[in-house]
Amino acid sequence: MTVDDHSIVTMTYEVRDGGPSGTLLERMDVNYPFKFMFGTGRMLPAWERRIFGLKSGMGFSFQLSPDDAYGQRSDDHILTAPIHIFQNEREQIEPGLLERGQYVTLTDSSGKDVNAKIIDWNDKQVTLDANHALAGKTLFFSGAILDVRAPSVDELIRKQYIEEGGVRR
């Protein structure tokens, strides 16, 4: 079977910053492989195009530019929020809540969750960076397809891989 829409793929991979000898950003190995349903819109489109049609046992390596991955960094994604949204009902900031470099989840005007990194704060506002952590980076992927299978009925209904025993991922 080949990697195609709605197939369940088990794979290993590494992601490196900038090229094959760049800093390792993430690794999924044979002990902890990555399992997912292909073609559901949850993965980077350019990444899916590179592994489409591969079969079990086939390796891959390719590079994605920032425009094909998580985009360029943008000053439009530097946000400010009023300090009161980080305070409790006594107008105190919870200990450890505001730390530079910490990620918080915000909800935008359309109800979508957005992860943002705390850059700084003062008495009135918090400055946040909502750029994706990998924005602006050229990413190099290498790995292998371990298995490709047809989805179960439940996986097709949910449009996602379901771990044996029913635990969803």
Side-chain angles (χ1 to χ4, degrees):
M1 197 173 169
T2 62
V3 175
D4 200 350
D5 285 347
H6 302 114
S7 59
I8 302 299
V9 180
T10 302
M11 67 188 305
T12 63
Y13 71 84
E14 287 186 354
V15 183
R16 294 186 176 271
D17 185 4
S21 60
T23 302
L24 179 65
L25 301 173
E26 184 175 60
R27 172 183 290 146
M28 301 297 287
D29 64 21
V30 293
N31 296 313
Y32 299 98
F34 181 51
K35 299 177 183 182
F36 70 103
M37 180 180 275
F38 185 88
T40 59
R42 294 182 180 162
M43 307 305 288
L44 293 170
W47 184 85
E48 283 199 342
R49 285 192 302 273
R50 300 307 194 294
I51 66 166
F52 179 83
L54 295 180
K55 295 178 183 178
S56 180
M58 294 179 78
F60 60 85
S61 64
F62 57 86
Q63 191 162 290
L64 296 181
S65 70
D67 291 332
D68 283 335
Y70 294 98
Q72 300 291 342
R73 294 190 57 74
S74 170
D75 288 343
D76 291 343
H77 293 141
I78 304 299
L79 314 171
T80 57
I83 192 79
H84 72 82
I85 69 172
F86 296 92
Q87 296 172 326
N88 63 25
E89 58 277 349
R90 293 176 300 213
E91 296 190 14
Q92 296 174 329
I93 296 174
E94 298 293 331
L97 180 63
L98 294 180
E99 294 181 17
R100 284 178 186 83
Q102 177 181 354
Y103 281 85
V104 295
T105 303
L106 308 172
T107 305
D108 69 13
S109 59
S110 65
K112 181 181 173 198
D113 285 344
V114 175
N115 291 321
K117 181 169 61 172
I118 296 172
I119 299 173
D120 204 2
W121 68 91
N122 60 31
D123 296 359
K124 298 183 194 260
Q125 67 185 22
V126 178
T127 305
L128 304 142
D129 182 351
N131 284 288
H132 189 282
L134 298 177
K137 292 185 179 288
T138 296
L139 303 176
F140 180 81
F141 294 85
S142 61
I145 305 298
L146 301 177
D147 186 54
V148 182
R149 67 169 173 81
S152 68
V153 172
D154 285 340
E155 288 170 326
L156 274 175
I157 290 168
R158 292 189 176 109
K159 294 199 181 332
Q160 66 184 32
Y161 164 71
I162 300 174
E163 188 76 45
E164 191 173 320
V167 177
R168 291 187 276 158
R169 290 195 172 213

